[in-house]
Amino acid sequence: ENHHLFRPPPRGSFHVNTSMDTRMITLRLVPGFDDASIRAMIDAARQTHLKGLILQLYGTGNLPSLKDDLVQCLAEATAA
């Protein structure tokens, strides 16, 4: 009855894609995080031509909108 939850077995041999762009960072935000450290990480990553930013948020995936510095930092990062 739960067969729809399982993926079918792989077909063919295992293949590793080595041409993927690795210029991305993942930030896991927890309650009480420091805005300045996140801004410093994003600024440092932008110097290496960051291509992606993955935000791992807490609760239901909410970002604290009261932290204006963080919201501004993310807006600047996406505008570049």
Side-chain angles (χ1 to χ4, degrees):
E1 73 188 55
N2 295 349
H3 297 289
H4 66 282
L5 298 176
F6 299 101
R7 296 184 62 146
R11 289 179 268 170
S13 61
F14 180 73
H15 174 72
V16 176
N17 188 351
T18 58
S19 63
M20 295 176 65
D21 197 341
T22 59
R23 292 176 290 177
M24 54 188 339
I25 58 173
T26 300
L27 293 177
R28 181 181 300 246
L29 301 182
V30 296
F33 63 88
D34 182 27
D35 293 353
S37 63
I38 292 175
R39 178 177 280 281
M41 283 188 277
I42 291 174
D43 288 343
R46 288 176 70 190
Q47 293 175 2
T48 61
H49 304 290
L50 177 69
K51 293 292 183 181
L53 172 64
I54 300 168
L55 295 176
Q56 295 179 326
L57 306 172
Y58 49 87
T60 58
N62 295 326
L63 179 70
S65 59
L66 296 177
K67 293 194 173 228
D68 293 330
D69 190 39
L70 175 64
V71 174
Q72 180 64 31
C73 178
L74 294 175
E76 292 170 5
T78 58

